[in-house]
Structures are given as structure tokens and as C-alpha cells.
Amino acid sequence: MDDAVIAVALLLVAATATAAVAVRDPVRQALVLAVLGVALALLFTVLQAPDVALSQLAVGSALTPLLLLLSVRKVRRQRKGRTE
């Protein structure tokens, strides 16, 4: 039973990581990266590493995508300001 849960979690991580690489829009990449962070936190929980899972949940699914979204927003504002 444990092996099946680990295999499903690994497949979920592989699928979301592939989606993060395949998506071209930076905003969508940040959102898929957040989902990847949740999937990794789930994998760490299944592997009985709750401290690592909580860190991954905070950093990988919240802070990093937020910083990426804020960076994309700033770059788009600067481009819009230059063209006008």
C-alpha cells in the first residue's frame, strides 16, 4: 500500500514538473510551480518528512510563485511605461 501511494505521489510530481517546463506563459508557469510545490509537499509527507513538507509548502508553493508573479508584473509595467 505504501509503495502505491509513493508511486502516485511521484507520478504527480513528475507530471506537474513536466507541465511547469512545458507552459510558456510566465504567469501560468508560476501557478503550475505552486501546484508543483504542493505535490512535492505531499510526496514529502508520504515519505514521512513533515518538517521538509511544511518548508516546501511555505517556500515552494507560496513564496516562490508569489515572487515570480510580482517580478512578471513589474517587468510588464516597465514595458508598458516605455511603449507609451
Side-chain angles (χ1 to χ4, degrees):
M1 180 64 181
D2 284 340
D3 291 339
V5 174
I6 292 172
V8 168
L10 282 171
L11 287 174
L12 182 63
V13 168
T16 54
T18 304
V21 173
V23 173
R24 302 293 292 175
D25 182 35
V27 173
R28 288 187 179 148
Q29 279 181 339
L31 295 175
V32 173
L33 187 63
V35 174
L36 176 60
V38 172
L40 282 169
L42 176 70
L43 176 64
F44 292 140
T45 303
V46 169
L47 294 175
Q48 298 178 355
D51 51 343
V52 180
L54 286 173
S55 298
Q56 177 62 35
L57 198 59
V59 175
S61 64
L63 293 178
T64 303
L66 178 64
L67 289 174
L68 286 171
L69 287 172
L70 291 173
S71 299
V72 168
R73 180 179 170 194
K74 186 170 184 170
V75 167
R76 287 184 178 172
R77 276 189 179 175
Q78 287 178 349
R79 283 185 186 173
K80 187 177 180 183
R82 277 193 244 157
T83 58
E84 292 180 7

